[in-house]
Short mmCIF file of all heavy atoms in Angstrom, two decimals:
data_model
loop_
_atom_site.label_atom_id
_atom_site.label_comp_id
_atom_site.label_asym_id
_atom_site.label_seq_id
_atom_site.Cartn_x
_atom_site.Cartn_y
_atom_site.Cartn_z
N ARG A 467 199.20 77.22 23.84
CA ARG A 467 199.91 76.19 24.60
C ARG A 467 199.40 74.82 24.19
O ARG A 467 198.23 74.65 23.85
CB ARG A 467 199.67 76.39 26.10
CG ARG A 467 198.20 76.33 26.50
CD ARG A 467 198.08 76.36 28.00
NE ARG A 467 196.70 76.47 28.43
CZ ARG A 467 195.83 75.49 28.45
NH1 ARG A 467 196.19 74.29 28.02
NH2 ARG A 467 194.60 75.67 28.87
N PRO A 468 200.26 73.81 24.20
CA PRO A 468 199.82 72.47 23.82
C PRO A 468 198.88 71.90 24.87
O PRO A 468 199.03 72.14 26.06
CB PRO A 468 201.12 71.68 23.77
CG PRO A 468 202.04 72.41 24.70
CD PRO A 468 201.68 73.87 24.56
N PRO A 715 204.21 75.02 38.53
CA PRO A 715 204.55 73.91 37.64
C PRO A 715 205.03 74.43 36.30
O PRO A 715 204.77 75.56 35.91
CB PRO A 715 203.24 73.14 37.52
CG PRO A 715 202.18 74.13 37.84
CD PRO A 715 202.79 75.04 38.86
N SER A 716 205.75 73.59 35.58
CA SER A 716 206.24 73.95 34.27
C SER A 716 205.09 74.19 33.32
O SER A 716 203.94 73.83 33.60
CB SER A 716 207.13 72.83 33.72
OG SER A 716 206.36 71.66 33.52
N SER A 717 205.39 74.77 32.18
CA SER A 717 204.33 75.04 31.20
C SER A 717 203.66 73.75 30.75
O SER A 717 202.45 73.70 30.53
CB SER A 717 204.91 75.78 29.99
OG SER A 717 205.97 75.03 29.40
N ALA A 718 204.44 72.68 30.65
CA ALA A 718 203.86 71.41 30.25
C ALA A 718 202.90 70.88 31.32
O ALA A 718 201.83 70.37 31.03
CB ALA A 718 204.96 70.38 30.00
N GLN A 719 203.30 71.08 32.60
CA GLN A 719 202.44 70.62 33.69
C GLN A 719 201.18 71.46 33.78
O GLN A 719 200.09 70.97 34.03
CB GLN A 719 203.19 70.68 35.02
CG GLN A 719 202.37 70.18 36.22
CD GLN A 719 201.96 68.74 36.07
OE1 GLN A 719 202.78 67.91 35.71
NE2 GLN A 719 200.69 68.44 36.30
N ARG A 720 201.32 72.78 33.58
CA ARG A 720 200.15 73.64 33.59
C ARG A 720 199.17 73.24 32.51
O ARG A 720 197.95 73.29 32.68
CB ARG A 720 200.56 75.10 33.44
CG ARG A 720 201.15 75.73 34.67
CD ARG A 720 201.14 77.25 34.55
NE ARG A 720 201.87 77.72 33.39
CZ ARG A 720 203.18 78.00 33.38
NH1 ARG A 720 203.87 77.83 34.50
NH2 ARG A 720 203.77 78.44 32.30
N ALA A 721 199.73 72.86 31.36
CA ALA A 721 198.85 72.44 30.27
C ALA A 721 198.06 71.21 30.67
O ALA A 721 196.87 71.08 30.36
CB ALA A 721 199.67 72.17 29.01
N ALA A 722 198.72 70.29 31.38
CA ALA A 722 198.03 69.09 31.82
C ALA A 722 197.01 69.41 32.90
O ALA A 722 195.91 68.90 32.93
CB ALA A 722 199.05 68.07 32.33
#
Side-chain angles (χ1 to χ4, degrees):
R467 59 173 173 78
S716 65
S717 58
Q719 181 61 46
R720 285 196 302 271

